[in-house]
Amino acid sequence: MAGKCLTYSQRREIERLYTAGAAPAEIAKAIGVTVATVYRELHRGETGKLDAFYRPEYSADVAECALQSALRNRGRRKLSAGTESGATDRHRPRS
């Protein structure tokens, strides 16, 4: 599953299992991904609150919003402070 995003239904399953108190390793086994993928997903969907087990609360909706935002911004460059067009010295045409 390298390079593929989790589906919304997989995120909902992560939310359901995590809310029920399942460990990330159990969640990974249940949905067929690596434990690292589950940890990244839990970090992506943090709401800023704690759940009943005093762990960071996870929301599939927050994670989906974060993913869509990251996909929209993929490949965009930020404007540099000293340039108007965002071009750096390395990309600026020589005169």
Side-chain angles (χ1 to χ4, degrees):
M1 189 167 163
K4 295 184 181 179
C5 295
L6 294 175
T7 63
Y8 183 66
S9 61
Q10 287 174 314
R11 286 189 177 85
R12 295 296 301 210
E13 183 69 11
I14 289 172
E15 182 177 13
R16 185 184 69 75
L17 292 170
Y18 191 69
T19 302
E26 296 169 2
I27 296 170
K29 188 174 181 181
I31 64 172
V33 298
T34 65
V35 178
T37 300
V38 173
Y39 274 112
R40 278 192 300 271
E41 187 61 29
L42 291 173
H43 181 69
R44 178 181 289 128
E46 284 183 1
T47 63
K49 301 176 185 174
L50 297 178
D51 66 5
F53 301 99
Y54 298 101
R55 302 180 299 182
E57 188 177 79
Y58 173 81
S59 168
D61 296 325
V62 171
E64 184 71 19
C65 251
L67 175 75
Q68 293 302 323
S69 176
L71 290 176
R72 270 193 311 274
N73 292 327
R74 184 184 287 177
R76 292 187 182 179
R77 293 182 181 261
K78 294 184 180 180
L79 292 177
S80 300
T83 61
E84 295 175 15
S85 66
T88 60
D89 290 334
R90 187 173 57 144
H91 296 101
R92 195 170 288 162
R94 296 182 184 178
S95 36

